[in-house]
Amino acid sequence: MSSKVTQLQFPALPYDFNALEPHIDAMTMEIHYTRHHKAYFDNLMAAVKDTPMADMSFDDLLKNISKFPAAVRNNGGGHFNHELFWSVMSPNGGGTPKGALAEAIDKNFGSFEQLKEQFNTAAKTRFGSGWAWLCVKADKSLCVCSSPNQDNPLMDVADCPGIPILGLDVWEHAYYLKYQNKRPDYVSAFWNVINWSEVENNYNKAL
Ligand code: MN
């Protein structure tokens, strides 16, 4: 995250396109990664080329996004959000959080089940395209929220500022081929592929 924008690399997908079947289908994964995420990445690079933004840290760029063009907000968010999204899923995912993260979830939400309910509601009620998040706030507590388009809680435009440790893409391109209009079914399926050890790493780094 502290890399300069020009030093960012398009990340490898950490598993095969079919690895998250049946919860997320191979064709959706292939199109989502090779076309959607790749386009956000390439368009970010094009938007910062030969500007002072190219030499900023990506972190600072996102934290000051209101000062920059819409193309940088949309594609910079698009790149950050998708890289996080791939990393918090795994073919060996699902189950429940462990360790300090599990304790923090119980403390902040009452129980894992209550976190799921809040997160599902955020994901299902985000109108149009956007993301649902589990974040660490400045006071180190956890919160659930959602954001429109490719915005995220790191941005200075966020309604819910914080460090995102888990994110779910609720754009139609993330689920339409398999789930069509049934976003709630896709949101439910997501819990079967969450890589909780990676989310816990993100939590520990955010503290
Ligand atoms: Mn997407």
Side-chain angles (χ1 to χ4, degrees):
M1 269 302 290
S2 56
S3 315
K4 282 186 180 183
V5 178
T6 46
Q7 292 168 337
L8 295 174
Q9 306 220 325
F10 186 62
L13 193 67
Y15 33 75
D16 293 337
F17 296 133
N18 65 2
L20 305 180
E21 293 264 14
H23 310 293
I24 301 182
D25 62 287
M27 183 174 283
T28 296
M29 283 300 301
E30 180 169 0
I31 295 171
H32 200 174
Y33 171 73
T34 64
R35 301 194 210 168
H36 292 275
H37 184 184
K38 186 67 163 52
Y40 294 124
F41 181 81
D42 291 345
N43 291 337
L44 171 65
M45 291 302 146
V48 301
K49 193 172 179 345
D50 300 328
T51 77
M53 293 179 282
D55 290 320
M56 290 181 67
S57 79
F58 191 37
D59 204 27
D60 284 341
L61 186 74
L62 294 173
K63 284 177 178 162
N64 294 284
I65 205 73
S66 64
K67 299 174 187 155
F68 302 113
V72 176
R73 176 171 169 177
N74 292 336
N75 293 295
H79 171 57
F80 177 90
N81 298 347
H82 287 85
E83 186 167 32
L84 176 67
F85 185 47
W86 311 136
S87 74
V88 295
M89 297 190 289
S90 162
N92 305 310
T96 56
K98 302 281 183 290
L101 175 61
E103 287 171 27
I105 287 170
D106 286 346
K107 186 175 164 211
N108 286 272
F109 300 99
S111 67
F112 178 58
E113 286 307 312
Q114 283 172 282
L115 161 68
K116 275 178 81 168
E117 196 175 315
Q118 281 193 35
F119 190 94
N120 288 348
T121 299
K124 287 188 269 191
T125 58
R126 165 52 54 189
F127 184 75
S129 297
W131 290 75
W133 306 105
L134 174 62
C135 293
V136 178
K137 295 200 289 187
D139 67 2
K140 309 298 182 198
S141 66
L142 293 172
C143 74
V144 161
C145 66
S146 72
S147 58
N149 304 315
Q150 294 295 352
D151 287 358
N152 68 47
L154 293 173
M155 294 178 174
D156 59 354
V157 295
D159 292 334
C160 52
I163 298 173
I165 62 172
L166 173 69
L168 174 60
D169 189 342
V170 297
W171 285 56
E172 283 188 345
H173 70 224
Y175 63 85
Y176 204 85
L177 292 177
K178 181 177 173 74
Y179 294 96
Q180 295 84 47
N181 60 318
K182 300 184 285 285
R183 187 193 290 184
D185 292 357
Y186 160 72
V187 172
S188 298
F190 177 59
W191 297 94
N192 296 309
V193 294
I194 296 177
N195 180 352
W196 284 111
S197 62
E198 184 63 18
V199 180
E200 190 178 356
N201 287 342
N202 293 341
Y203 174 68
N204 290 329
K205 276 187 268 173
L207 289 181

